[in-house]
Amino acid sequence: CRDSDGQLHEFDSHWKNADCYDCSCSRSGMNCCSSFVTPVGYDEEKCVSIFNKETCSYKVVEKDDHSEECPIHEWVG
């Protein structure tokens, strides 16, 4: 299988790509799915979600002060 970066992967292999998706390759093709959940239940006027590619996770913080986390009431994934 050839991934979106042009790298070749052997059949029956598994990897996490640069965008934090879990991928696998089989004789029937390549499949990638999200390995993280996305916050949706927070005050979007006061807060912003920031994705960290190193930890493959979101953090929701105040727009005016990124050191202050916001409460999250719902996640989707």
Side-chain angles (χ1 to χ4, degrees):
C1 300
R2 185 180 305 271
D3 66 19
S4 59
D5 295 325
Q7 274 194 314
L8 290 175
H9 298 272
E10 294 182 6
F11 292 133
D12 301 320
S13 64
H14 301 271
W15 68 96
K16 186 180 298 271
N17 71 14
D19 294 319
C20 295
Y21 282 79
D22 289 324
C23 300
S24 63
C25 174
S26 69
R27 294 194 184 279
S28 60
M30 189 175 76
N31 183 38
C32 294
C33 62
S34 168
S35 65
F36 53 87
V37 291
T38 304
V40 292
Y42 63 91
D43 183 346
E44 293 186 29
E45 288 185 25
K46 180 181 176 184
C47 305
V48 63
S49 65
I50 299 171
F51 188 71
N52 182 330
K53 281 191 174 185
E54 288 182 22
T55 62
C56 294
S57 63
Y58 280 96
K59 185 175 186 178
V60 179
V61 294
E62 290 184 7
K63 289 179 181 178
D64 296 333
D65 183 358
H66 285 192
S67 69
E68 291 293 323
E69 290 191 41
C70 296
I72 304 163
H73 304 290
E74 187 178 350
W75 295 85
V76 294

Coordinates of all heavy atoms in Angstrom, one line a residue:
C1 N 0.8 -1.2 0.0 CA 0.0 0.0 0.0 C 0.9 1.2 0.0 O 1.9 1.3 0.7 CB -0.9 0.0 1.2 SG -2.0 -1.4 1.4
R2 N 0.5 2.2 -0.7 CA 1.2 3.5 -0.7 C 0.3 4.5 0.0 O -0.9 4.8 -0.4 CB 1.4 4.0 -2.2 CG 2.3 5.2 -2.3 CD 2.5 5.7 -3.7 NE 3.1 4.6 -4.5 CZ 4.4 4.4 -4.6 NH1 5.3 5.2 -4.0 NH2 4.9 3.5 -5.4
D3 N 0.9 5.2 1.0 CA 0.1 6.1 1.8 C 0.1 7.5 1.2 O 0.7 7.7 0.1 CB 0.6 6.2 3.3 CG 2.0 6.7 3.5 OD1 2.5 7.4 2.6 OD2 2.5 6.5 4.5
S4 N -0.6 8.5 1.8 CA -0.7 9.8 1.2 C 0.6 10.6 1.1 O 0.8 11.5 0.4 CB -1.7 10.7 2.0 OG -1.3 10.8 3.3
D5 N 1.6 10.1 1.9 CA 3.0 10.7 1.8 C 3.9 10.0 0.8 O 5.0 10.4 0.7 CB 3.7 10.6 3.2 CG 3.0 11.4 4.3 OD1 2.4 12.5 3.9 OD2 2.9 11.0 5.4
G6 N 3.3 9.0 0.1 CA 4.1 8.3 -0.9 C 4.9 7.1 -0.3 O 5.6 6.4 -1.1
Q7 N 4.8 6.8 1.0 CA 5.5 5.7 1.6 C 4.8 4.4 1.3 O 3.6 4.3 1.3 CB 5.7 5.9 3.1 CG 6.8 6.7 3.5 CD 7.0 6.5 5.0 OE1 6.1 6.6 5.8 NE2 8.3 6.4 5.4
L8 N 5.6 3.4 1.0 CA 5.1 2.0 0.8 C 5.0 1.3 2.1 O 5.9 1.4 3.0 CB 6.0 1.3 -0.2 CG 5.9 1.7 -1.6 CD1 6.9 1.0 -2.5 CD2 4.5 1.6 -2.2
H9 N 3.9 0.5 2.3 CA 3.7 -0.3 3.5 C 3.4 -1.7 3.1 O 2.7 -2.0 2.1 CB 2.6 0.3 4.4 CG 2.9 1.6 4.9 ND1 3.5 1.9 6.1 CD2 2.6 2.9 4.3 CE1 3.6 3.2 6.2 NE2 3.1 3.8 5.2
E10 N 3.9 -2.7 3.8 CA 3.7 -4.1 3.5 C 2.3 -4.5 3.9 O 1.7 -3.9 4.8 CB 4.7 -5.0 4.3 CG 6.1 -4.8 3.9 CD 7.1 -5.7 4.7 OE1 6.6 -6.5 5.4 OE2 8.3 -5.5 4.5
F11 N 1.8 -5.6 3.3 CA 0.5 -6.1 3.6 C 0.5 -6.6 5.1 O 1.6 -7.0 5.6 CB 0.2 -7.4 2.8 CG -0.1 -7.0 1.3 CD1 0.5 -7.7 0.3 CD2 -1.0 -6.0 1.0 CE1 0.2 -7.4 -1.0 CE2 -1.2 -5.6 -0.3 CZ -0.6 -6.4 -1.3
D12 N -0.6 -6.4 5.8 CA -0.8 -6.8 7.2 C 0.1 -5.9 8.1 O 0.4 -6.3 9.2 CB -0.5 -8.3 7.4 CG -1.4 -9.2 6.6 OD1 -2.6 -8.8 6.5 OD2 -0.9 -10.2 6.1
S13 N 0.5 -4.7 7.7 CA 1.2 -3.8 8.6 C 0.2 -2.7 9.1 O -0.8 -2.5 8.6 CB 2.3 -3.1 7.8 OG 1.8 -2.3 6.7
H14 N 0.7 -2.1 10.2 CA -0.1 -1.1 10.9 C 0.8 0.0 11.3 O 1.9 -0.2 11.7 CB -0.7 -1.7 12.2 CG -1.6 -2.9 12.0 ND1 -3.0 -2.7 11.8 CD2 -1.4 -4.2 11.9 CE1 -3.5 -3.9 11.6 NE2 -2.5 -4.8 11.7
W15 N 0.3 1.3 11.3 CA 1.1 2.4 11.6 C 0.2 3.6 11.9 O -1.0 3.6 11.6 CB 2.1 2.8 10.5 CG 1.4 3.3 9.2 CD1 1.2 4.7 8.9 CD2 0.8 2.6 8.2 NE1 0.5 4.7 7.7 CE2 0.3 3.5 7.3 CE3 0.7 1.2 8.0 CZ2 -0.4 3.1 6.1 CZ3 0.0 0.8 6.8 CH2 -0.5 1.7 5.9
K16 N 0.8 4.6 12.6 CA 0.1 5.9 12.8 C 0.7 6.9 11.9 O 1.9 7.1 11.9 CB 0.2 6.3 14.3 CG -0.6 7.5 14.7 CD -0.5 7.9 16.1 CE -0.9 6.8 17.1 NZ -2.4 6.9 17.4
N17 N -0.1 7.6 11.1 CA 0.4 8.6 10.2 C 0.7 9.9 10.9 O 0.4 10.1 12.1 CB -0.4 8.7 9.0 CG -1.8 9.4 9.2 OD1 -2.0 10.0 10.2 ND2 -2.6 9.3 8.2
A18 N 1.2 10.9 10.2 CA 1.6 12.2 10.7 C 0.4 13.0 11.2 O 0.5 13.9 12.0 CB 2.4 13.0 9.7
D19 N -0.8 12.6 10.7 CA -2.0 13.3 11.2 C -2.8 12.6 12.3 O -4.0 12.9 12.5 CB -3.0 13.5 10.0 CG -2.3 14.5 8.9 OD1 -1.7 15.5 9.3 OD2 -2.4 14.2 7.7
C20 N -2.1 11.7 12.9 CA -2.6 10.9 14.1 C -3.8 10.0 13.7 O -4.7 9.7 14.5 CB -3.1 11.9 15.2 SG -1.7 12.8 15.9
Y21 N -3.7 9.4 12.5 CA -4.7 8.4 12.1 C -4.0 7.0 12.2 O -2.9 6.9 11.8 CB -5.2 8.6 10.7 CG -6.2 9.7 10.6 CD1 -5.9 11.0 10.6 CD2 -7.6 9.4 10.5 CE1 -6.8 12.0 10.6 CE2 -8.6 10.4 10.5 CZ -8.2 11.7 10.5 OH -9.1 12.7 10.5
D22 N -4.7 6.0 12.7 CA -4.3 4.6 12.8 C -4.6 4.0 11.4 O -5.7 4.0 11.0 CB -5.0 3.9 13.9 CG -4.5 4.3 15.3 OD1 -3.3 4.6 15.4 OD2 -5.4 4.3 16.2
C23 N -3.5 3.5 10.8 CA -3.7 3.0 9.4 C -3.3 1.5 9.4 O -2.4 1.1 10.2 CB -2.8 3.7 8.4 SG -3.3 5.5 8.3
S24 N -3.8 0.8 8.4 CA -3.4 -0.6 8.2 C -3.5 -0.9 6.7 O -4.2 -0.2 6.0 CB -4.4 -1.6 9.0 OG -5.7 -1.4 8.5
C25 N -2.7 -1.9 6.3 CA -2.6 -2.3 4.9 C -2.9 -3.8 4.8 O -2.4 -4.6 5.6 CB -1.2 -2.0 4.4 SG -1.0 -2.6 2.7
S26 N -3.8 -4.1 3.9 CA -4.1 -5.5 3.7 C -4.2 -5.7 2.2 O -4.1 -4.8 1.4 CB -5.5 -5.9 4.3 OG -6.5 -5.3 3.6
R27 N -4.4 -6.9 1.7 CA -4.5 -7.2 0.3 C -5.7 -6.5 -0.4 O -5.7 -6.3 -1.6 CB -4.5 -8.7 0.0 CG -3.1 -9.3 0.5 CD -3.0 -10.8 -0.1 NE -1.8 -11.3 0.4 CZ -0.6 -11.1 -0.1 NH1 -0.4 -10.3 -1.1 NH2 0.5 -11.7 0.4
S28 N -6.7 -6.2 0.4 CA -7.9 -5.5 -0.1 C -7.7 -4.0 -0.1 O -8.6 -3.3 -0.6 CB -9.1 -5.9 0.7 OG -9.0 -5.6 2.0
G29 N -6.6 -3.5 0.4 CA -6.4 -2.0 0.4 C -5.9 -1.5 1.7 O -5.6 -2.2 2.6
M30 N -5.9 -0.2 1.8 CA -5.4 0.6 2.9 C -6.6 1.2 3.6 O -7.6 1.7 3.0 CB -4.4 1.6 2.5 CG -3.8 2.3 3.7 SD -2.5 3.5 3.2 CE -3.5 4.8 2.6
N31 N -6.6 1.2 5.0 CA -7.7 1.8 5.8 C -7.1 2.6 6.9 O -6.1 2.2 7.5 CB -8.5 0.7 6.4 CG -9.7 1.2 7.1 OD1 -10.3 2.2 6.7 ND2 -10.1 0.6 8.2
C32 N -7.6 3.9 7.0 CA -7.1 4.7 8.1 C -8.3 5.3 8.9 O -9.3 5.6 8.3 CB -6.3 5.9 7.6 SG -4.7 5.5 6.8
C33 N -8.2 5.3 10.2 CA -9.3 5.9 11.0 C -8.7 6.7 12.1 O -7.6 6.6 12.5 CB -10.2 4.8 11.5 SG -9.4 3.7 12.6
S34 N -9.5 7.6 12.6 CA -9.1 8.6 13.6 C -8.7 7.8 14.9 O -9.4 6.9 15.3 CB -10.3 9.5 13.9 OG -10.1 10.2 15.1
S35 N -7.6 8.3 15.5 CA -7.2 7.7 16.8 C -7.4 8.6 17.9 O -6.8 8.5 19.0 CB -5.7 7.3 16.7 OG -4.9 8.5 16.5
F36 N -8.2 9.7 17.7 CA -8.4 10.7 18.7 C -9.9 11.1 18.7 O -10.6 10.8 17.8 CB -7.5 11.9 18.5 CG -7.7 12.5 17.0 CD1 -8.7 13.4 16.7 CD2 -6.8 12.0 16.0 CE1 -8.8 13.9 15.4 CE2 -7.0 12.5 14.7 CZ -8.0 13.4 14.4
V37 N -10.3 11.7 19.8 CA -11.7 12.2 19.9 C -11.6 13.8 19.8 O -10.6 14.4 20.1 CB -12.3 11.8 21.2 CG1 -12.6 10.3 21.3 CG2 -11.5 12.2 22.4
T38 N -12.7 14.3 19.3 CA -12.8 15.8 19.1 C -13.8 16.4 20.0 O -14.9 15.9 20.2 CB -13.3 16.0 17.6 OG1 -12.4 15.3 16.7 CG2 -13.3 17.5 17.3
P39 N -13.4 17.5 20.7 CA -14.3 18.2 21.6 C -15.4 18.9 20.8 O -15.0 19.6 19.9 CB -13.4 19.1 22.4 CG -12.3 19.4 21.5 CD -12.1 18.1 20.7
V40 N -16.6 18.8 21.2 CA -17.7 19.6 20.6 C -18.6 20.3 21.6 O -19.2 21.3 21.3 CB -18.6 18.7 19.7 CG1 -17.8 18.2 18.5 CG2 -19.2 17.5 20.4
G41 N -18.6 19.9 22.8 CA -19.4 20.5 23.9 C -18.7 21.5 24.7 O -18.4 21.2 25.9
Y42 N -18.4 22.7 24.2 CA -17.7 23.7 25.0 C -18.2 25.1 24.4 O -18.8 25.2 23.4 CB -16.2 23.6 24.9 CG -15.6 23.7 23.5 CD1 -15.2 25.0 23.0 CD2 -15.5 22.6 22.7 CE1 -14.6 25.1 21.8 CE2 -14.9 22.8 21.4 CZ -14.5 24.0 20.9 OH -14.0 24.1 19.7
D43 N -17.9 26.1 25.2 CA -18.3 27.5 24.8 C -17.4 28.0 23.7 O -16.3 28.4 23.9 CB -18.2 28.4 26.0 CG -18.6 29.8 25.8 OD1 -18.8 30.2 24.6 OD2 -18.8 30.6 26.8
E44 N -17.9 27.9 22.4 CA -17.1 28.3 21.3 C -16.8 29.8 21.1 O -16.0 30.2 20.4 CB -17.7 27.7 20.0 CG -17.6 26.2 20.0 CD -18.1 25.6 18.7 OE1 -18.0 26.2 17.6 OE2 -18.6 24.4 18.7
E45 N -17.6 30.6 21.8 CA -17.4 32.0 21.8 C -16.2 32.4 22.7 O -15.4 33.3 22.3 CB -18.6 32.8 22.2 CG -19.7 32.7 21.1 CD -20.9 33.6 21.5 OE1 -20.8 34.6 22.3 OE2 -22.0 33.3 21.0
K46 N -16.1 31.7 23.8 CA -15.0 32.1 24.8 C -13.8 31.2 24.6 O -12.7 31.6 24.9 CB -15.6 31.8 26.2 CG -14.6 32.1 27.3 CD -15.3 31.8 28.6 CE -14.3 32.0 29.8 NZ -14.9 31.7 31.1
C47 N -13.9 30.0 24.0 CA -12.8 29.0 24.0 C -12.5 28.6 22.6 O -13.3 28.7 21.6 CB -13.2 27.8 24.8 SG -13.7 28.3 26.5
V48 N -11.3 27.9 22.5 CA -10.9 27.4 21.2 C -10.2 26.0 21.4 O -9.6 25.8 22.5 CB -9.9 28.4 20.5 CG1 -8.6 28.6 21.3 CG2 -9.5 27.9 19.1
S49 N -10.4 25.1 20.5 CA -9.7 23.8 20.6 C -8.4 23.8 19.8 O -8.4 24.3 18.7 CB -10.7 22.7 20.1 OG -10.9 22.8 18.8
I50 N -7.4 23.3 20.4 CA -6.1 23.2 19.8 C -5.6 21.8 19.7 O -5.6 21.1 20.7 CB -5.1 24.1 20.6 CG1 -5.5 25.5 20.7 CG2 -3.7 24.0 20.0 CD1 -4.7 26.4 21.6
F51 N -5.2 21.3 18.5 CA -4.8 20.0 18.4 C -3.3 19.9 18.5 O -2.5 20.6 17.9 CB -5.2 19.4 17.0 CG -5.0 18.0 16.8 CD1 -5.8 17.0 17.5 CD2 -4.0 17.5 16.0 CE1 -5.5 15.7 17.4 CE2 -3.8 16.1 15.8 CZ -4.5 15.2 16.5
N52 N -2.8 18.9 19.3 CA -1.4 18.7 19.5 C -1.0 17.4 18.8 O -1.5 16.3 19.2 CB -1.1 18.5 21.0 CG 0.3 18.3 21.3 OD1 1.1 17.7 20.5 ND2 0.7 18.8 22.5
K53 N -0.3 17.5 17.7 CA 0.1 16.3 16.9 C 1.1 15.4 17.6 O 1.2 14.2 17.3 CB 0.7 16.7 15.6 CG -0.3 17.1 14.5 CD 0.4 17.3 13.2 CE -0.7 17.5 12.1 NZ -0.1 17.6 10.8
E54 N 1.8 15.9 18.6 CA 2.7 15.1 19.4 C 2.0 14.1 20.3 O 2.4 13.0 20.5 CB 3.7 15.9 20.2 CG 4.7 16.6 19.3 CD 5.7 17.4 20.2 OE1 5.9 17.1 21.4 OE2 6.3 18.3 19.6
T55 N 0.9 14.6 20.9 CA 0.1 13.7 21.8 C -1.2 13.2 21.1 O -1.9 12.4 21.7 CB -0.3 14.5 23.1 OG1 -1.2 15.6 22.7 CG2 0.9 15.0 23.8
C56 N -1.4 13.6 19.9 CA -2.7 13.2 19.2 C -3.9 13.5 20.0 O -4.8 12.6 20.1 CB -2.6 11.8 18.7 SG -1.3 11.5 17.5
S57 N -4.0 14.7 20.6 CA -5.1 15.0 21.4 C -5.4 16.5 21.3 O -4.6 17.3 20.9 CB -4.9 14.6 22.9 OG -3.8 15.4 23.4
Y58 N -6.7 16.8 21.6 CA -7.1 18.2 21.7 C -7.1 18.8 23.1 O -7.3 18.0 24.1 CB -8.6 18.4 21.2 CG -8.8 18.4 19.7 CD1 -9.1 17.2 19.0 CD2 -8.6 19.5 19.0 CE1 -9.3 17.2 17.7 CE2 -8.8 19.5 17.6 CZ -9.1 18.3 17.0 OH -9.3 18.3 15.6
K59 N -6.9 20.1 23.2 CA -7.0 20.8 24.4 C -7.9 22.0 24.1 O -7.7 22.6 23.1 CB -5.6 21.3 24.9 CG -5.5 21.9 26.2 CD -4.1 22.2 26.6 CE -4.0 22.8 28.0 NZ -2.6 23.0 28.4
V60 N -8.8 22.3 25.0 CA -9.7 23.4 24.9 C -9.3 24.4 25.9 O -9.4 24.2 27.1 CB -11.2 23.0 25.0 CG1 -12.1 24.2 24.8 CG2 -11.5 21.9 23.9
V61 N -9.0 25.6 25.4 CA -8.5 26.7 26.2 C -9.3 28.0 25.9 O -9.9 28.1 24.9 CB -7.0 26.9 26.1 CG1 -6.2 25.7 26.6 CG2 -6.7 27.3 24.6
E62 N -9.2 29.0 26.8 CA -9.8 30.3 26.6 C -9.0 31.0 25.5 O -7.8 30.9 25.4 CB -9.7 31.1 27.9 CG -10.7 30.6 28.9 CD -10.7 31.5 30.2 OE1 -10.0 32.6 30.1 OE2 -11.3 31.2 31.2
K63 N -9.8 31.6 24.6 CA -9.2 32.3 23.5 C -8.2 33.4 23.9 O -7.1 33.6 23.3 CB -10.3 33.0 22.6 CG -11.1 32.0 21.8 CD -12.1 32.7 21.0 CE -13.0 31.7 20.2 NZ -14.0 32.3 19.4
D64 N -8.5 34.1 25.0 CA -7.7 35.2 25.5 C -6.6 34.8 26.4 O -5.7 35.6 26.7 CB -8.6 36.2 26.2 CG -9.6 36.9 25.3 OD1 -9.3 37.0 24.1 OD2 -10.7 37.3 25.8
D65 N -6.7 33.5 26.9 CA -5.7 33.1 27.9 C -5.5 31.6 27.7 O -6.2 30.8 28.3 CB -6.1 33.4 29.3 CG -5.0 33.0 30.3 OD1 -4.0 32.4 30.0 OD2 -5.2 33.3 31.5
H66 N -4.5 31.2 26.9 CA -4.3 29.7 26.6 C -3.9 28.9 27.8 O -3.8 27.7 27.7 CB -3.4 29.6 25.4 CG -4.0 29.9 24.1 ND1 -3.4 29.6 22.9 CD2 -5.1 30.6 23.8 CE1 -4.1 30.0 21.9 NE2 -5.2 30.6 22.4
S67 N -3.6 29.5 28.9 CA -3.2 28.8 30.1 C -4.4 28.3 30.9 O -4.3 27.5 31.8 CB -2.3 29.6 31.0 OG -3.0 30.7 31.6
E68 N -5.6 28.9 30.5 CA -6.8 28.5 31.2 C -7.6 27.5 30.3 O -8.1 27.8 29.2 CB -7.7 29.7 31.5 CG -7.1 30.7 32.5 CD -7.1 30.1 33.9 OE1 -8.1 29.3 34.3 OE2 -6.1 30.3 34.6
E69 N -7.8 26.3 30.9 CA -8.6 25.3 30.2 C -10.1 25.5 30.3 O -10.5 26.1 31.4 CB -8.2 23.9 30.6 CG -6.9 23.5 30.2 CD -6.6 22.0 30.4 OE1 -7.5 21.2 30.2 OE2 -5.5 21.7 30.9
C70 N -10.9 25.2 29.3 CA -12.3 25.3 29.4 C -13.0 23.9 29.6 O -12.5 22.9 29.2 CB -12.8 25.8 28.0 SG -12.2 27.5 27.6
P71 N -14.1 23.9 30.3 CA -14.9 22.7 30.5 C -15.4 22.2 29.1 O -15.8 22.9 28.3 CB -16.0 23.0 31.4 CG -16.1 24.5 31.5 CD -14.8 25.1 30.9
I72 N -15.3 20.8 29.0 CA -15.8 20.2 27.8 C -16.9 19.2 28.2 O -16.8 18.4 29.1 CB -14.7 19.4 27.1 CG1 -13.5 20.3 26.8 CG2 -15.2 18.7 25.8 CD1 -12.2 19.6 26.5
H73 N -18.1 19.4 27.5 CA -19.2 18.6 27.9 C -19.5 17.4 27.0 O -20.3 16.5 27.3 CB -20.5 19.5 28.0 CG -20.2 20.7 28.9 ND1 -20.1 20.5 30.3 CD2 -20.0 22.0 28.6 CE1 -19.9 21.7 30.8 NE2 -19.9 22.6 29.8
E74 N -18.9 17.4 25.8 CA -19.1 16.3 24.9 C -17.9 16.1 24.0 O -17.3 17.1 23.6 CB -20.4 16.6 24.0 CG -20.8 15.5 23.2 CD -22.1 15.8 22.4 OE1 -22.7 16.8 22.7 OE2 -22.4 15.0 21.5
W75 N -17.7 14.8 23.6 CA -16.6 14.5 22.7 C -17.2 13.6 21.6 O -18.1 12.8 21.9 CB -15.5 13.7 23.4 CG -14.8 14.4 24.5 CD1 -15.2 14.6 25.8 CD2 -13.5 15.1 24.4 NE1 -14.2 15.3 26.5 CE2 -13.2 15.6 25.6 CE3 -12.6 15.3 23.3 CZ2 -12.1 16.4 25.9 CZ3 -11.5 16.1 23.6 CH2 -11.2 16.6 24.8
V76 N -16.6 13.7 20.4 CA -17.0 12.7 19.3 C -15.7 12.1 18.8 O -14.7 12.7 18.8 CB -17.8 13.4 18.2 CG1 -19.1 13.9 18.7 CG2 -17.0 14.5 17.5
G77 N -15.9 10.9 18.3 CA -14.7 10.2 17.8 C -14.9 9.1 17.0 O -15.4 8.5 16.3

